[in-house]
Amino acid sequence: MPVQDSPDTTRDARLEARVSAAQKSLLQQAAALSGRTLSEFVVASAQDAARRVIAEHESIRLSREEQLAFVQALLTPPEPNARLKRAAKAYRQKIGQRTGA
């Protein structure tokens, strides 16, 4: 779970960024309109963007057709073929377990 920023969180790490004058002006205007300082606005915006990127990479999105195929594969998995059986046997031998049926 992401770290939540709270009022009692110690802010001892520093982040610096070089921006153009136009970018700084844009960020300052947005910060003023949202009633925040420039630093507060930039940190909150970057944090929101970071959470979105992480969420996008931690979730799987499937079409309806893909969802049905996935559920079908879970409910009625195909029988293992010879290659998969050999791989399972080799794995069990490698980790020292008895081979089963």
Side-chain angles (χ1 to χ4, degrees), residues 19-42 45:
V19 296
S20 70
Q23 288 171 318
K24 184 176 180 183
S25 178
L26 177 70
L27 295 170
Q28 286 175 319
Q29 182 180 4
L33 291 171
S34 65
R36 297 177 179 173
T37 67
L38 177 58
S39 290
E40 290 169 339
F41 178 79
V42 169
S45 297

Side-chain angles (χ1 to χ4, degrees), residues 53-74:
V53 168
I54 291 168
E56 287 173 9
H57 284 81
E58 290 181 341
S59 63
I60 299 172
R61 294 194 177 117
L62 303 174
S63 68
R64 180 73 175 143
E65 183 179 317
E66 291 166 332
Q67 291 172 24
L68 293 172
F70 179 73
V71 170
Q72 185 66 28
L74 289 175

